[in-house]
Amino acid sequence: MLRRVTRISPWQAGKFFAVLYFIMGLIFAIPFALLSSALPAEAGGGLGIGFAIAVPFVYAIGGLIFVPLACVIFNSVANLVGGLEFTVAEDANSA
């Protein structure tokens, strides 16, 4: 079954990706901060807890700003060319 995406809600997508990026920021920043705190100061260590706290928020703010902007651009282009087509298959196990 052929379907077409012609519009993405910018605010909803921005909220969704802000939360997703925040979680991804936690997943990557905490281990990186722990590893960098184990390094000697002259080797670039010491990013520590401030880094681990700041990165998820920076990622989330970036997602909240840039994803809605990308959605607005997508919606404009979709109006010109008709959207993005994709195929959906029915699942034989769905009742």
Side-chain angles (χ1 to χ4, degrees), residues 23-35:
I23 293 168
M24 288 173 44
L26 287 175
I27 291 170
F28 291 114
I30 291 173
F32 186 76
L34 291 173
L35 289 173

Side-chain angles (χ1 to χ4, degrees), residues 2-3 10-11 14-15 17 19-20 22 28 33-34 36 41 52 63 68 76 82-84 94:
L2 190 63
R3 299 283 187 173
W11 180 240
K15 292 187 299 183
F17 279 98
V19 172
L20 182 66
F22 183 83
F28 291 114
L34 291 173
S36 72
S76 299
L84 181 66
S94 66

Side-chain angles (χ1 to χ4, degrees), residues 16-81:
F16 173 82
F17 279 98
V19 172
L20 182 66
Y21 288 176
F22 183 83
I23 293 168
M24 288 173 44
L26 287 175
I27 291 170
F28 291 114
I30 291 173
F32 186 76
L34 291 173
L35 289 173
S36 72
S37 65
L39 294 174
E42 53 276 345
L47 293 176
I49 193 73
F51 176 80
I53 291 172
V55 165
F57 287 101
V58 170
Y59 282 179
I61 291 169
L64 195 59
I65 293 170
F66 291 109
V67 169
L69 179 62
C71 289
V72 168
I73 293 169
F74 173 85
N75 292 340
S76 299
V77 172
N79 283 336
L80 291 173
V81 298

